[in-house]
């Protein structure tokens, strides 16, 4: 496969470089449908150090012309991927992992909860939900970021209201111009106290955040089998 496009998602003031990377199959090939939230193994031809890494797919399963990824430029294979120009060859293995399989939860309310680049696998889910919106109940997204300037996919998240999807964005550290929730994403979740009956939640992010959100959801009567991870 090869790089189709690469663009900077993060704000220059954030001190981070997070990109959206599109990788397309060879001419005449198509990507087979996958489960939202699944991952792939990405590497570069002839490069063994750094080793290939695992990245969550950020595009919807119905898209057959390219995979999309949200990649933070940090030491290792991520830095090399972030520097690639269109046309560069990338080795792709997968999709793999069980992802967020929502097929058993048709008719349920859906809660997507993630922080930082954890929005990548959740983006795959919410774009899938847009295409199947009539099959599910209320859809709520809880995203957490370090500061307002660390937010990602801001325009896309704001536009989700057009699809009857509610979005809450919280930041750990606010600013004078920030009027949204301040604190951890699980704090906002706890304050909103969603009803766990006939609901399913998808979690993506750091282990500490996932553990805290799982505990919060359990206290809100979410059944363990309705709290999903993508790995």
């Amino acid at each position: 496969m090869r790089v189709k496009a690469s663009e900077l998602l993060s704000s220059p003031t954030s001190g981070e470089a997070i990109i959206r990377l599109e990788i397309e199959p060879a001419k005449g090939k198509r990507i087979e449908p996958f489960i939202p939230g699944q991952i792939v193994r990405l590497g570069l031809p002839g490069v063994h150090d750094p080793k290939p890494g695992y990245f969550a797919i950020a595009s919807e399963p119905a898209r057959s012309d390219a995979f999309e990824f949200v990649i933070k430029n940090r030491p290792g294979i991520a830095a090399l991927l972030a520097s690639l120009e269109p046309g560069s060859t990338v080795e792709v293995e997968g999709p793999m992992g069980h992802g967020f399989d929502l097929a058993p939860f048709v008719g349920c309310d859906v809660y997507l909860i993630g922080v930082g680049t954890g929005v990548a696998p959740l983006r795959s889910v919410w774009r899938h939900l847009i295409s199947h919106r009539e099959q599910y109940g209320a859809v709520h997204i809880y995203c957490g970021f370090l500061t307002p300037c660390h937010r990602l996919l801001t325009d896309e998240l704001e536009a989700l209201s057009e699809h009857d999807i509610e979005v809450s964005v919280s930041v750990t550290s606010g600013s004078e111009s920030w009027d949204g929730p301040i604190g951890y994403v699980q704090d906002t979740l706890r304050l909103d106290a969603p009803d766990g009956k006939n609901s399913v939640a998808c979690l993506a992010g750091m282990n500490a955040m996932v553990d805290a959100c799982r505990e919060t959801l359990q206290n809100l009567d979410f059944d363990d089998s309705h709290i999903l991870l993508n790995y």
Side-chain angles (χ1 to χ4, degrees), residues 173-189:
S173 178
S175 64
E176 291 184 0
S177 60
W178 177 253
D179 59 359
I182 297 177
Y184 295 115
V185 67
Q186 59 266 27
D187 297 331
T188 304
L189 187 65

Side-chain angles (χ1 to χ4, degrees), residues 3 29 43 61 81 83 90 97 101 124 139 144 147 154 170 177 185 191 207 209:
V3 175
K29 301 289 185 179
L81 292 170
S83 66
V90 180
D101 186 2
S124 179
V139 179
T147 71
T154 302
S170 58
S177 60
V185 67
L191 288 172
N207 289 338
M209 166 265 169

